[in-house]
Amino acid sequence: MADPNATRRHTVTNSRLLATALVAVLASGTFAHAQTAPVPPAPPFMDVTMLLKHLSSLGFGDVREIERKSDKLYEVTARDAEGLRWEMSVDARTGEILRKEPD
């Protein structure tokens, strides 16, 4: 004769497995969503006024030329605090001096 509690144990075990699987699926969905969150856009480029202020904060003045080469790059000719003239490539988004050569 079959054990009448076997069916009940089987149902309880299946319910637990189903609940565990459901939790795993929900957790993996949340994790996958967190991984595929959109990347924030790059900061906009510095306008000339912002660039002049930034270069001044770095000790450059007497800016003779600013040429926008692309949406990512400015070419600048300016003097440092010692009066030396420099030609520089400047990142248009961050203001980082990428290249600096005596002019």
Side-chain angles (χ1 to χ4, degrees):
M1 172 176 200
D3 183 6
N5 291 328
T7 304
R8 184 167 187 258
R9 278 194 302 264
H10 183 68
T11 302
V12 170
T13 302
N14 283 346
S15 296
R16 286 183 185 156
L17 286 173
L18 181 60
T20 302
L22 182 60
V23 168
V25 167
L26 291 174
S28 67
T30 302
F31 180 70
H33 177 69
Q35 289 180 332
T36 59
V39 176
F45 68 90
M46 294 179 142
D47 63 22
V48 173
T49 304
M50 291 171 61
L51 179 63
L52 286 171
K53 286 180 184 179
H54 179 70
L55 290 173
S56 178
S57 75
L58 297 176
F60 292 96
D62 190 23
V63 176
R64 295 291 175 159
E65 184 178 348
I66 297 176
E67 183 179 347
R68 183 129 180 242
K69 291 295 195 178
S70 69
D71 64 336
K72 297 179 183 178
L73 188 67
Y74 281 112
E75 289 290 327
V76 178
T77 303
R79 292 190 187 272
D80 65 12
E82 297 173 6
L84 298 173
R85 185 177 293 179
W86 296 93
E87 186 173 297
M88 301 174 282
S89 295
V90 181
D91 185 303
R93 294 181 181 155
T94 65
E96 177 185 1
I97 298 173
L98 304 173
R99 179 187 60 81
K100 184 172 98 173
E101 296 177 356
D103 186 39

